[in-house]
Amino acid sequence: MASDDCDVLIIGAGIHGAGVAQAVAARGHRVVVLEQTAPASGTSSRSSKLIHGGLRYLESAQFGLVRECLRERRVLLRIAPELVRLRPFHIPVYRNTRRRAWQIGVGLALYAALDGFASDSRFSRLAPHEWSRLDGLDTTGLQAVFRYYDAQTDDAALTRAVLHSAQTLGAQLRMPARVTRVERHAQGARVFYRSGDAERDCNTRVLVNAAGPWVNDVLQKVVPAAVMLPVELVQGTHIVLPGSLSQGMYYLEAPDAARAVFVMPWRDALLVGTTETPYRGAPEAVAPLPAELDYLLDTCAHYFPAYRGMTRVDIRSAFAGLRVLPARPGAAFGRPRETLLHTDEPRRPTLLTIYGGKLTAYRATAQKVMQRLANVLPDGGAHVDTATLRLDA
Ligand SMILES: Cc1cc2nc3c(=O)[nH]c(=O)nc-3n(C[C@H](O)[C@H](O)[C@H](O)COP(=O)(O)OP(=O)(O)OC[C@H]3O[C@@H](n4cnc5c(N)ncnc54)[C@H](O)[C@@H]3O)c2cc1C
């Protein structure tokens, strides 16, 4: 059994593990990332692929989150121009949709204000003669269409780019490396992992648990036992349909008004998502449900008549990912989306767990992790600003 040491050991090479690895390495610390499968093999390849402020979070008054995400959108548009692109989004308002035109207008004005009225936050209301250019959008009962801008990415490619940046700064990635046991001690932790047929271990001053929907599974492997936050896993499914959109993205209210659904151009097709279904199984077993496929097909067909009559056999592919939300009563849709950083030793954390979060805010999350670890990590000498490091596709 081989043993070696590092300052920070990160479990998981999703966007959070990659982002924290980059931030730790940028400060000159020794960092190792253990990934059981492949970078971005978890939630970070199954998102809606948006780098956005989260317009709908304004309805639940999550202003801090929206402002932070808009700031990060600006940074990513600058440092990752090949991976993050600004796109026009359209919000149609019909006679029978729940949100009225004035509400959308107020929301977009607030969104622009939270972005400091930067040029990327411009929005407009399309004139009725422009509606016919909107990719076959149904105009029956249509009362208004708003256009604003947010960004789209390839989530898995972005994760790999951040990880590559971390490795360039000195981070080590070990893969496949599945963490099987963690023994905490006064100086940090000894982490045991399986790599193929070999069992290995690594001593670390700090352990960062960035295992996405597996976070509490990882905490169950910790001795002495670590405190776990009660969470719910909520499944979100996307479908890929044939076709193309020339005008950008559509932000739609599902016919049951229960949630928002995006219809977006994706590669040479359409991506439609997402659902929110409580999930209780093993994270690796998550898969789209027939009812979710029908819900997304119905929503798409409701707004785009050309898709009426399409059935499950027309779906090119589908994927499901898991949101990690604080366990609370009520529908998942309005639940807070803030990232929770949890440790049972707030002053000198040696084990820090990342719960939930946004792809968009990964860099901000990594900065917060660094602040939490400031008392435990010695000055590593280097201070590279990740807001200026270019990320290449
Ligand atoms: C349906 C859906 C849509 C979303 N859309 C958006 C969006 O459009 N924009 C946005 O900003 N955010 C979005 N999000 C949120 C965002 O995708 C997630 O917050 C983010 O991807 C989570 O990344 P992560 O690194 O925490 O987890 P993951 O990407 O799941 O990474 C965890 C990693 O840990 C590894 N791991 C687990 N256990 C072990 C172990 N024992 N040993 C070693 N490795 C282990 C896994 O293999 C995995 O690679 C969406 C989320 C969902 C579910």
Side-chain angles (χ1 to χ4, degrees):
M1 192 180 290
S3 176
D4 57 11
D5 293 342
C6 62
D7 297 316
V8 179
L9 186 142
I10 299 168
I11 303 176
I15 193 67
H16 286 131
V20 174
Q22 187 200 37
V24 171
R27 293 291 182 90
H29 302 297
R30 293 167 307 163
V31 54
V32 169
V33 181
L34 302 182
E35 168 54 50
Q36 61 184 359
T37 313
S41 55
T43 318
S44 300
S45 57
R46 297 141 188 248
S47 80
S48 299
K49 305 171 198 314
L50 299 177
I51 296 298
H52 63 157
L55 184 60
R56 74 180 172 83
Y57 305 138
L58 295 178
E59 288 186 334
S60 44
Q62 298 183 65
F63 302 126
L65 175 66
V66 174
R67 192 185 290 109
E68 178 180 80
C69 286
L70 287 170
R71 193 177 57 232
E72 288 304 312
R73 182 185 76 174
R74 220 174 306 140
V75 170
L76 287 169
L77 284 165
R78 193 178 64 235
I79 64 173
E82 295 168 2
L83 287 162
V84 179
R85 295 216 167 89
L86 208 62
R87 301 267 188 236
F89 281 63
H90 301 91
I91 308 180
V93 180
Y94 291 85
R95 208 177 296 130
N96 53 359
T97 42
R98 190 164 64 85
R99 293 169 191 84
R100 300 289 79 222
W102 69 266
Q103 290 171 301
I104 306 290
V106 168
L108 288 170
L110 186 54
Y111 204 56
L114 289 170
D115 196 26
F117 297 108
S119 64
D120 292 347
S121 64
R122 65 195 181 277
F123 68 94
S124 60
R125 187 170 168 157
L126 300 191
H129 72 263
E130 297 176 277
W131 296 350
S132 59
R133 287 187 224 135
L134 295 177
D135 298 299
L137 182 76
D138 195 358
T139 53
T140 316
L142 188 59
Q143 294 181 326
V145 180
F146 288 88
R147 178 183 285 159
Y148 73 107
Y149 293 82
D150 247 327
Q152 188 181 31
T153 190
D154 176 331
D155 48 4
L158 180 67
T159 303
R160 287 192 296 268
V162 177
L163 191 63
H164 181 257
S165 168
Q167 288 174 287
T168 307
L169 292 164
Q172 278 184 48
L173 170 66
R174 297 188 191 161
M175 198 176 70
R178 178 173 155 69
V179 172
T180 51
R181 195 166 87 247
V182 175
E183 291 174 4
R184 297 173 78 191
H185 51 71
Q187 288 76 41
R190 190 165 173 203
V191 179
F192 296 83
Y193 60 97
R194 181 152 281 285
S195 184
D197 288 338
E199 177 151 0
R200 302 184 191 280
D201 70 285
C202 183
N203 270 307
T204 182
R205 201 182 286 254
V206 180
L207 175 63
V208 174
N209 175 8
W214 292 267
V215 271
N216 280 350
D217 295 352
V218 164
L219 288 180
Q220 275 169 351
K221 302 180 198 304
V222 176
V223 284
V227 174
M228 272 181 239
L229 298 184
V231 293
E232 267 176 43
L233 299 182
V234 177
Q235 157 166 357
T237 287
H238 290 82
I239 57 173
V240 178
L241 291 175
S244 63
L245 297 171
S246 64
Q247 297 299 306
M249 339 275 275
Y250 294 83
Y251 190 171
L252 308 168
E253 192 177 288
D256 63 2
R259 51 168 300 105
V261 170
F262 289 103
V263 178
M264 309 168 271
W266 175 243
R267 299 191 173 142
D268 59 348
L270 251 64
L271 183 62
V272 183
T274 166
T275 53
E276 292 202 343
T277 312
Y279 182 79
R280 291 208 169 73
E284 53 277 15
V286 67
L289 302 172
E292 294 181 304
L293 304 179
D294 292 342
Y295 184 84
L296 295 171
L297 277 170
D298 287 350
T299 302
C300 189
H302 182 81
Y303 288 98
F304 293 95
Y307 285 80
R308 287 176 195 160
M310 278 206 183
T311 64
R312 287 185 213 157
V313 294
D314 298 298
I315 296 174
R316 281 194 186 169
S317 61
F319 57 90
L322 290 170
R323 295 185 173 85
V324 180
L325 300 181
R328 285 188 200 165
F333 192 52
R335 218 76 71 69
R337 298 299 161 101
E338 310 271 2
T339 315
L340 289 172
L341 300 183
H342 178 70
T343 169
D344 34 11
E345 305 150 77
R347 286 181 53 76
R348 293 189 64 78
T350 51
L351 167 59
L352 186 146
T353 296
I354 302 174
Y355 283 100
K358 303 293 298 171
L359 185 76
T360 306
Y362 81 84
R363 222 188 47 84
T365 300
Q367 296 308 314
K368 288 177 198 162
V369 169
M370 293 310 289
Q371 283 161 14
R372 289 286 194 95
L373 300 183
N375 286 342
V376 235
L377 290 180
D379 188 349
H383 288 276
V384 181
D385 182 0
T386 58
T388 60
L389 279 182
R390 196 182 151 98
L391 300 173
D392 293 313

